[in-house]
């Protein structure tokens, strides 16, 4: 056993960096070459069709079905020149993954051969099986019909030999079965509501864009070691494992020199991302060993969500070429930082106003304060829903530990903005809107160091929804999640709040109040209203948990309970009022969330029981037998002196026996708890039972397994340990 274990580990460590064939051109020369973007459309489409497509992509103009044949022909010619032989509708079902069915560009030619064709009807829609994806009861198994429909606002792209067409996915009866359809509706809702409010300040505004800049954290592990861990293979995280003597406590990995093999992977990843039009900007070591981050430049939210799903696919694919496996689970290793996906969200107008940035004039600063305060009011009003939008069985392991924000949604603003809102609360002086549009300067007492530009706000790592100068950073989003879930919630609640704001201001104006005075009056009311959600302190403290409860913020940490926010009356009313989702769709998503939670914990529990019985106990008892044999031989040779000298081994035998007994009893109880939970009919009750009875038993058993890892002969231990998994050689 020991020789096999060290052979696996040795082979993993012997892997050398692959030679990355870097393009000889600069990034700007190959950026977007695999995307049917404006440049490609200009070349392959007639002028009038090209202009119409640009209008659709930039302004949301209506797509005419008659255009589809022309676009399909141009798209096919472009894709085939890149080597494409197939096409697929690429969509985002409610699994936090992507889905695709590939069809070849071939049809019968009527003469016994084939011809390569791609008609508009194939571009516009396809018919995936709607009963085989999560649908929350909207579709019965025998009701299989569903539709994927082209989203022309997100450009098609070529991946390997396939033309990928971004689409929405809906049921035969019209309900959304994906993330993209409600996301597009939420983006439209916030656009319309924000334009109406912008007209108080600038009547020339025609469109407001929702922007997203995501930061993708991930772990890399050697593929050989990954293959020797059944828990990593099937659940994405280590279900057992004693902490390494050295992990992140020296804080030497964060922003450290990137390991050579990882650098090669990152270069390869960035090249492929750039070809797909993904503007990869930042790469660095993260806090935990083997943890890294990639972040692109901000993009329009729909496109940014698509690009994030593509990047996660590329990460997994390219990692294997370099002898790695990419882990996107939020907490693959206990005791060190988990991985998040910070969602930096902001709004901007078609004529250049950055609505989350201070301006240069009083009017611009009043507009800035208006949008910031309305966002805070929306976050306060729906703080439970925001948490539900990022909660999952996997992200629940990360929240509240090792720099991850707690499961209480609050907002950090920083001293300058907090002071401004506090002053504005009871005053209408124009001086309050004289906010510095740029960061202030600070001179260091070192002549050779240039002046530093200091930001208007500090950062608060424990804040789930922090204002960071020109955007809000939703830090609670999990690393393997689809960004669209959080973006649907944020854009929808802000749209609802802006509609309510305009209604109140219009009423004040109608009563005879000056427009500016009416805006300030309503802003002041909202500042008072949303004050409970503002918190600039330590989100990890026990005092904050008690204070947050007093403020009326949701402090629930049980995932199945948190999901209930999707069907609360105020949530249903909000989504229906802005035209994003219906009550039936929300109820379906709730069922899906409970079901997925149950299945993920169920899978972990099954893996855990198998590993405990078939991997851990045999090794522990084998080592125990060696110790027993040693004790007998010591006593036989040395007599009473041998018995004394064997005292420590006898104690170790007892310790192993106790741990093995506790594991055996625990696994039996774990299995019984699963059986009881599985018999429950309600998806909610089943998920709750798994949370309350299955998860705690796994944690209790793990304690004894990790204790065994400390004492069993290292050469016998069947699993790669944290000290081996978490350090790339």
């Amino acid at each position: 056993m020991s020789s096999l274990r060290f052979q696996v580990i040795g082979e993993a460590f012997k892997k050398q960096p692959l030679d990355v064939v870097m393009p000889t051109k600069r990034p700007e020369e190959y950026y977007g070459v695999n995307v049917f973007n404006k440049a490609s459309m200009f070349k392959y489409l007639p002028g009038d069709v090209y202009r119409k497509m640009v209008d659709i992509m930039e302004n949301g103009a209506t797509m005419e079905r008659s255009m589809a044949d022309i676009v399909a022909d141009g798209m096919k010619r472009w894709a085939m020149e890149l080597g494409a032989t197939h096409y697929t509708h690429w969509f985002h079902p409610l699994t936090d993954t992507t889905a695709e069915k590939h069809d070849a560009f071939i049809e019968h030619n009527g003469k016994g051969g084939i011809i390569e064709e791609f008609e508009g009807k194939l571009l516009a829609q396809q018919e995936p099986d709607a009963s085989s994806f999560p649908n929350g009861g909207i579709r019965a198994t025998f009701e299989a019909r569903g539709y994927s429909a082209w989203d022309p606002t997100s450009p098609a792209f070529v991946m390997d030999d396939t033309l990928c067409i971004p689409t929405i996915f809906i049921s035969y009866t019209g309900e959304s079965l994906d993330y993209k359809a409600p996301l597009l509706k939420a983006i439209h809702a916030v656009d319309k509501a924000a334009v109406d409010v912008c007209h108080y300040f600038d009547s020339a505004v025609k469109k407001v864009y929702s922007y997203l800049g995501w930061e993708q954290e991930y772990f890399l592990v050697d593929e050989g070691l990954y293959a020797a861990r059944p828990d990593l293979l099937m659940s994405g995280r280590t279900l057992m494992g004693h902490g390494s003597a050295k992990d992140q406590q020296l804080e030497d990995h964060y922003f450290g020199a990137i390991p050579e093999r990882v650098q090669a992977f990152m270069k390869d990843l960035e090249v492929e991302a750039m070809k797909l039009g993904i503007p990869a900007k930042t790469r660095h070591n993260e806090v935990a060993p083997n943890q890294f981050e990639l972040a692109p430049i901000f993009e329009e939210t729909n496109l940014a969500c698509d690009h994030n799903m593509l990047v996660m696919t590329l990460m997994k694919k390219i990692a294997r070429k370099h002898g790695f496996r990419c882990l996107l689970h939020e907490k693959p290793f206990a005791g060190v930082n988990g991985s998040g996906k910070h969602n930096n969200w902001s709004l901007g107008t078609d004529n250049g106003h950055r609505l989350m940035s201070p301006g240069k004039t009083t009017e611009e600063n009043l507009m800035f304060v208006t949008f910031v305060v309305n966002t805070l009011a929306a976050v306060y009003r729906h703080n439970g829903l925001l948490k539900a939008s990022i909660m999952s069985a996997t992200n629940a392991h990360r929240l509240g530990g090792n720099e991850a924000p707690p499961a209480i949604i609050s907002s950090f603003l920083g001293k300058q903005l907090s002071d401004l809102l506090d002053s504005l609360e009871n005053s209408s002086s124009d001086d309050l809107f004289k906010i510095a549009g740029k960061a202030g300067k600070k001179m260091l007492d070192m002549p050779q160091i240039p002046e530093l530009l200091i930001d208007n706000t500090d950062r608060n790592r424990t804040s789930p929804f922090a204002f960071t100068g020109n955007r809000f950073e939703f830090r609670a989003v999990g690393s393997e999640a689809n960004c669209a879930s959080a973006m649907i919630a944020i854009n929808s609640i802000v749209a609802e709040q802006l509609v309510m704001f305009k209604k109140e201001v219009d009423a004040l104006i109608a009563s005879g109040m000056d427009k500016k005075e009416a805006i300030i009056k309503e802003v002041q009311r909202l500042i008072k209203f949303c004050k409970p959600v503002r918190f600039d302190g330590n989100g990890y403290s026990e005092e904050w948990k008690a204070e947050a409860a007093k403020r009326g913020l949701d402090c629930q940490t049980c995932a199945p309970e948190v999901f209930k926010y999707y069907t609360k009356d105020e949530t249903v009313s909000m989504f229906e009022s802005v035209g994003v989702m219906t009550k039936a769709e929300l109820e379906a998503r709730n069922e899906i969330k409970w079901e997925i939670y149950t299945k993920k914990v169920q899978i972990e529990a099954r893996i855990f029981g198998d590993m405990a019985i078939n991997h851990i106990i045999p090794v522990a008892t084998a080592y125990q037998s060696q110790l027993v044999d040693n004790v007998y031989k010591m006593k036989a040779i040395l007599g009473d002196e041998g018995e004394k000298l064997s005292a420590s081994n006898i104690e170790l035998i007892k310790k192993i026996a106790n741990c093995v007994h506790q594991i055996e009893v625990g696994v039996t109880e774990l299995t019984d708890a699963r059986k009881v939970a599985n018999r429950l009919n309600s998806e909610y009750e089943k998920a709750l039972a798994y949370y309350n009875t299955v998860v705690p038993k796994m944690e209790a058993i793990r304690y004894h397994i990790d204790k065994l890892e400390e004492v069993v002969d290292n050469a016998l231990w069947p699993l790669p340990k944290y000290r081996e998994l978490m350090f790339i050689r």
Side-chain angles (χ1 to χ4, degrees), residues 141-187:
T141 301
F142 64 88
E143 297 174 321
R145 197 181 297 276
Y147 299 109
S148 56
W150 176 32
D151 169 21
T153 64
S154 184
F157 55 92
V158 169
M159 180 83 87
D160 298 324
D161 65 350
T162 303
L163 169 64
C164 300
I165 303 157
T167 62
I168 63 169
F169 180 41
I170 61 173
S171 74
Y172 178 70
T173 47
E175 295 91 352
S176 64
L177 297 175
D178 70 341
Y179 285 106
K180 183 183 275 285
L183 176 64
L184 290 172
K185 292 178 181 178
I187 291 170

Side-chain angles (χ1 to χ4, degrees), residues 651-665:
E651 288 302 313
L652 188 51
I653 290 167
K654 292 179 181 177
K655 184 174 183 178
I656 292 173
N658 178 63
C659 285
V660 168
H661 173 71
Q662 295 293 338
I663 293 168
E664 289 175 332
V665 171

Side-chain angles (χ1 to χ4, degrees), residues 412 458-464 466 468 473 475 535-539:
F412 167 84
D458 199 351
R459 289 186 182 270
N460 187 326
R461 292 292 180 186
T462 68
S463 177
T468 53
E473 182 179 19
R475 297 177 50 82
F535 178 67
D536 288 2
N538 178 12

Side-chain angles (χ1 to χ4, degrees), residues 386-402:
L386 281 185
K387 181 161 60 178
S389 76
I390 56 86
M391 181 60 78
S392 66
T394 53
N395 201 25
H397 292 289
R398 163 182 166 261
L399 295 178
N402 299 100

Side-chain angles (χ1 to χ4, degrees), residues 236 557 618:
T557 58

Side-chain angles (χ1 to χ4, degrees), residues 40-241:
S40 301
M41 287 190 289
F42 185 80
K43 180 178 178 181
Y44 289 90
L45 299 179
D48 59 333
V49 176
Y50 164 77
R51 288 187 290 274
K52 182 66 175 178
M53 283 297 298
V54 171
D55 191 29
I56 290 167
M57 295 173 68
E58 293 186 349
N59 303 311
T62 302
M63 162 64 70
E64 297 170 6
R65 191 66 180 261
S66 60
M67 282 178 54
D69 281 333
I70 301 172
V71 175
D73 179 69
M75 193 182 288
K76 183 198 73 172
R77 288 187 287 112
W78 166 80
M80 289 177 63
E81 288 183 14
L82 291 174
T85 57
H86 290 66
Y87 67 93
T88 184
H89 276 203
W90 183 78
F91 58 97
H92 304 185
L94 298 172
T95 57
D96 280 338
T97 58
T98 58
E100 51 198 67
K101 175 177 70 74
H102 297 198
D103 289 305
F105 289 125
I106 60 169
E107 295 291 344
H108 287 296
N109 66 359
K111 302 176 183 178
I114 60 170
I115 186 173
E116 291 184 307
E117 286 189 349
F118 182 55
E119 298 176 353
K121 63 180 181 180
L122 301 177
L123 168 64
Q125 72 180 62
Q126 279 192 333
E127 190 182 320
D129 187 342
S131 68
S132 297
F133 291 99
N135 61 68
I138 286 178
R139 305 297 289 155
T141 301
F142 64 88
E143 297 174 321
R145 197 181 297 276
Y147 299 109
S148 56
W150 176 32
D151 169 21
T153 64
S154 184
F157 55 92
V158 169
M159 180 83 87
D160 298 324
D161 65 350
T162 303
L163 169 64
C164 300
I165 303 157
T167 62
I168 63 169
F169 180 41
I170 61 173
S171 74
Y172 178 70
T173 47
E175 295 91 352
S176 64
L177 297 175
D178 70 341
Y179 285 106
K180 183 183 275 285
L183 176 64
L184 290 172
K185 292 178 181 178
I187 291 170
H188 174 72
V190 80
D191 166 28
K192 184 177 184 304
V195 165
D196 288 344
V197 173
C198 282
H199 286 168
Y200 286 138
F201 309 96
D202 183 353
S203 59
V205 172
K206 295 179 180 178
K207 188 172 182 61
V208 169
Y209 297 94
S210 170
Y211 292 108
L212 169 63
W214 45 264
E215 305 167 30
Q216 180 70 57
E217 295 175 347
Y218 60 97
F219 281 84
L220 294 175
V221 296
D222 282 290
E223 189 164 25
L225 303 182
Y226 174 90
R229 293 280 315 211
D231 47 358
L232 276 180
L233 270 167
M234 289 185 279
S235 76
R237 75 176 180 112
T238 54
L239 300 175
M240 54 192 69

Side-chain angles (χ1 to χ4, degrees), residues 330-358:
E330 282 80 4
K331 199 74 170 180
F333 303 105
V336 298
N337 270 32
S339 293
K341 177 152 49 194
H342 303 168
N343 278 206
N344 296 279
W345 171 85
S346 63
L347 298 173
T349 70
D350 58 331
N351 61 352
H353 294 299
R354 297 168 63 185
L355 299 178
M356 298 300 167
S357 295

